[in-house]
């Protein structure tokens, strides 16, 4: 019984130590300002929006789902 | 009531009162020592959490939607169901696109896994799993195999063959073994490795050929429900979401959690990287979708409306990252302007919960799967 109690306590302590190490790493990581992060997200969208077929639709003939052609398989 | 001067005070009850006093005394000594260490570690953890929040708050100089005010608004959307894939006999739980932008694999509650040609709506392959609730399925990058699993606690790989005489189930290979249900799976950059998420609270990386466990990821406090791999240019990381309301970003090589986010108020059902790899979106049972920026290390947008009260089951971005599609448990698909935070469209069509949603590899369409037994292709 005592051994089990000791083991539980040891496990709890090692878990608590791991949690502290993890939090230290997360707390001290390098971060950038939201304004910079937001600007980068905007820049990425802007650079790629022209090629986004769901925003700037390509002609129906080039989108296999929009064109009215019928697909047949040879049996 | 204090028996000895060094026994813990009333706020820390002694471990066991039924043992003799000498035993209890010895245990109390050890307990006291360990309780003090445990208490001081917990105190340190709390103060570090406070520090984490302070550091994050220092950089919170503006909101994303404010910066996005200068961006042109999106026009009207005409998105309709272009194909309906019928054939599953029960709830569709998961789907994935093949890199050829045409084939789709889907899995359902009744154990069936089907491979479709989404252009023609024809079924090309079908296999019945030995379990029900096949919650996860994925297409291999080569297009030559699929992976799936669910209540069997495993992830199995099936090579796809066009030999009509060959039984697909015969070549089945068991790769992953968890101790609870498989909730998500994904091949990495090649057919050789699979990443899995499970109800057992862990994620794991497996070698397909040998079935060997290459790395395991521990940290979630409850079932892991979803995962997504970072776009290959961004390096070896992935994000997972779980019933502990946390989204966690992992280093695939070390098994270490790099960052974690806990702002959702309920289970996170779906996570998906923004195409640049610098952010990811999540969908949750708290009826919101959220955007987290990895370099700012915080939530930067919430996509919600008072009228939306049902959970979001599945999210994905359009090719440019400007649109976020969310499938919800109220049978609808909401389309969000990622930058401005507003809803641009709501899509009706499914007759039950939307359970899974993925944009095609070239962004020309997206596919949704539902508890109404069907999949729909929208464009």
């Amino acid at each position: 019984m005592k051994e089990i109690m000791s083991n539980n306590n040891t496990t709890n302590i090692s878990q608590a130590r791991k949690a502290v190490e993890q939090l230290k790493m997360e707390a001290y990581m390098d971060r950038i300002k939201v304004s910079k992060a937001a600007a980068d997200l905007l820049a990425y969208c802007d650079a790629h929006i022209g090629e986004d077929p769901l925003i700037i639709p390509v002609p129906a003939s080039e989108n296999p789902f929009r064109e009215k052609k019928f697909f047949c398989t040879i049996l | 009531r204090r028996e000895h001067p060094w026994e813990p005070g009333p706020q820390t009850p002694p471990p066991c009162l039924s043992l003799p006093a000498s035993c209890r005394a010895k245990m109390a000594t050890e307990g006291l020592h360990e309780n003090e260490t445990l208490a001081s570690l917990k105190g340190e953890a709390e103060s570090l959490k406070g520090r984490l929040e302070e550091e994050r708050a220092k950089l919170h100089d503006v909101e994303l939607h404010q910066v996005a005010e200068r961006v042109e608004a999106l026009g009207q959307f005409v998105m309709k169901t272009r194909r309906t894939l019928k054939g599953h006999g029960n709830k569709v739980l998961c789907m994935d696109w093949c890199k050829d932008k045409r084939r789709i694999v889907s899995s359902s509650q009744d154990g069936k896994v089907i491979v479709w040609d989404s252009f023609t709506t024809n079924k090309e392959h079908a296999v019945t799993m030995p379990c029900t609730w096949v919650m996860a399925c994925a297409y291999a990058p080569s297009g030559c195999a699929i992976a799936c699993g669910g209540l069997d606690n495993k992830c199995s790989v099936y090579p796809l063959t066009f030999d009509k005489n060959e039984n697909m189930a015969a070549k089945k290979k068991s790769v992953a073994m968890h101790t609870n249900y498989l909730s998500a799976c994904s091949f990495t950059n090649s057919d050789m490795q699979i990443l899995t998420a499970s109800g057992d609270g862990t994620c794991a990386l497996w070698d397909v050929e040998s079935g060997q466990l290459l790395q395991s990821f521990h940290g979630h406090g409850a079932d892991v429900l979803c995962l997504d791999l970072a776009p290959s240019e961004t390096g070896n990381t992935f994000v997972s979401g779980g019933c502990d309301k946390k989204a966690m970003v992992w280093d695939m090589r070390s098994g270490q959690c790099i960052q974690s986010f806990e702002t959702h108020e309920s289970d996170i059902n779906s996570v998906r990287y923004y195409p640049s790899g610098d952010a990811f979106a999540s969908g949750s049972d708290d009826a919101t979708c959220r955007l987290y920026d990895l370099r700012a290390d915080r939530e930067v947008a919430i996509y919600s409306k008072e009228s939306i009260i049902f959970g979001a089951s599945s999210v994905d971005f359009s090719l440019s990252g400007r649109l976020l599609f969310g499938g919800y448990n109220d049978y609808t698909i909401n389309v969000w302007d990622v930058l401005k935070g507003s809803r641009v469209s709501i899509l009706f069509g499914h007759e039950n919960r939307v359970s899974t949603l993925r944009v095609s590899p070239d962004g020309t369409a997206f596919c949704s799967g539902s508890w109404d037994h069907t999949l729909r292709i929208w464009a």
Side-chain angles (χ1 to χ4, degrees):
Chain A
M1 174 67 184
K2 192 173 74 169
E3 285 74 28
I4 296 168
M5 293 299 290
S6 294
N7 282 342
N8 278 346
N9 283 333
T10 318
T11 315
N12 288 343
I13 288 198
S14 75
Q15 275 176 354
R17 276 206 193 102
K18 277 189 193 145
V20 165
E21 288 314 308
Q22 180 66 31
L23 282 164
K24 271 188 191 157
M25 192 206 64
E26 291 185 30
Y28 294 107
M29 71 171 271
D30 283 324
R31 292 176 186 80
I32 65 172
K33 286 189 182 173
V34 176
S35 50
K36 168 82 171 97
D40 289 350
L41 291 172
L42 259 67
Y44 187 91
C45 272
D46 198 48
H48 293 88
I49 204 161
E51 314 145 7
D52 190 332
L54 289 172
I55 296 182
I56 313 280
V58 296
S61 55
E62 283 175 36
N63 184 329
F65 296 108
R66 285 193 178 176
E67 62 178 342
K68 300 232 190 295
K69 196 168 90 175
F70 289 97
F71 285 88
C72 299
T73 43
I74 313 281
L75 294 171
Chain B
R1 148 185 102 80
R2 299 174 77 94
E3 281 196 335
H4 300 274
W6 32 256
E7 200 175 24
Q11 69 273 16
T12 37
C16 184
L17 290 169
S18 60
L19 296 177
S22 55
C23 204
R24 274 190 289 132
K26 214 162 177 200
M27 282 169 67
T29 320
E30 287 174 14
L32 174 67
H33 171 69
E34 278 158 354
N35 279 345
E36 263 193 330
T37 316
L38 196 62
S40 65
L41 282 171
K42 286 194 171 164
E44 209 182 332
E46 283 314 303
S47 81
L48 281 167
K49 277 184 191 165
R51 167 118 203 181
L52 184 55
E53 283 322 299
E54 274 169 33
E55 293 298 313
R56 280 173 168 168
K58 275 182 199 168
L59 299 162
H60 188 196
D61 54 347
V62 77
E63 297 290 345
L64 172 62
H65 64 83
Q66 289 170 314
V67 174
E69 268 163 24
R70 64 175 198 252
V71 177
E72 209 178 300
L74 295 166
Q76 272 288 58
F77 278 96
V78 181
M79 250 178 267
K80 297 197 275 194
T81 301
R82 307 286 174 171
R83 303 282 192 283
T84 305
L85 306 180
K86 293 187 189 182
H88 275 295
N90 213 316
K91 306 177 171 70
V92 176
L93 303 176
C94 190
M95 59 80 41
D96 191 20
W97 287 90
C98 177
K99 281 205 156 77
D100 71 1
K101 314 159 234 183
R102 171 172 184 157
R103 284 169 180 81
I104 283 175
V105 62
S106 61
S107 62
S108 87
Q109 186 198 339
D110 64 0
K112 288 256 187 340
V113 178
I114 299 177
V115 175
W116 315 77
D117 176 337
S118 64
F119 290 2
T120 62
T121 76
N122 289 340
K123 298 176 209 28
E124 292 193 342
H125 304 268
V127 73
T128 306
M129 292 279 284
C131 67
T132 56
W133 288 90
V134 187
M135 291 170 250
C137 63
Y139 230 115
S142 68
C144 297
I146 54 144
C148 54
L151 285 188
D152 58 352
N153 299 358
K154 295 188 209 173
C155 185
S156 306
V157 174
Y158 291 87
L160 295 175
T161 170
F162 283 92
D163 182 349
K164 296 241 184 295
N165 296 324
E166 213 175 293
N167 178 10
M168 210 170 124
K171 292 257 159 125
K172 169 179 168 175
K173 192 194 242 313
S174 265
V175 174
M177 281 286 295
H178 277 279
T179 54
N180 210 325
Y181 64 90
L182 187 83
S183 54
C185 64
S186 174
F187 284 86
T188 60
N189 301 337
S190 77
D191 286 20
M192 302 288 98
Q193 291 180 357
I194 285 187
L195 196 53
T196 57
S198 168
D200 67 15
T202 72
C203 296
L205 181 66
W206 310 83
D207 177 270
V208 173
E209 193 54 39
S210 63
Q212 199 193 347
L213 174 67
L214 299 171
Q215 187 58 263
S216 67
F217 306 88
H218 296 257
H220 276 288
D223 307 23
V224 188
L225 298 179
C226 52
L227 63 80
D228 192 37
L229 271 137
S232 35
E233 313 78 54
T234 347
N236 286 341
T237 61
F238 73 94
V239 60
S240 63
C243 291
D244 58 356
K245 313 175 200 171
K246 281 203 241 176
M248 301 179 80
V249 181
W250 307 88
D251 179 318
M252 274 169 72
R253 272 173 291 216
S254 67
Q256 171 110 33
C257 168
I258 306 170
Q259 287 167 270
S260 71
F261 304 89
E262 198 171 348
T263 61
H264 271 293
E265 293 166 22
S266 187
D267 301 1
I268 297 179
N269 299 311
S270 177
V271 286
R272 195 74 69 213
Y273 271 91
Y274 185 78
S276 71
D278 287 337
F280 69 90
S282 57
S284 162
D285 274 353
D286 68 8
T288 71
C289 297
R290 296 178 196 231
L291 186 70
Y292 298 88
D293 188 285
L294 292 168
R295 294 175 311 147
D297 188 40
R298 65 176 298 120
E299 176 191 291
V300 292
I302 306 185
Y303 308 101
S304 67
K305 274 179 108 62
E306 267 185 43
S307 54
I308 301 175
I309 56 171
F310 284 82
S313 64
S314 193
V315 297
D316 202 358
F317 288 98
S318 70
L319 205 72
S320 63
R322 183 66 191 270
L323 297 176
L324 181 71
F325 300 99
Y328 288 73
N329 292 341
D330 65 0
Y331 315 176
T332 68
I333 293 165
N334 288 298
V335 186
W336 301 92
D337 180 325
V338 169
L339 304 178
K340 291 184 180 288
S342 52
R343 180 174 66 185
V344 295
S345 191
I346 176 168
L347 303 174
F348 299 97
H350 278 298
E351 293 166 17
N352 207 318
R353 288 192 189 196
V354 178
S355 53
T356 179
L357 187 157
R358 295 296 295 260
V359 172
S360 73
D362 62 355
T364 51
F366 70 90
C367 178
S368 59
S370 165
W371 280 19
D372 70 8
H373 308 187
T374 72
L375 293 113
R376 284 171 181 249
I377 314 280
W378 307 78

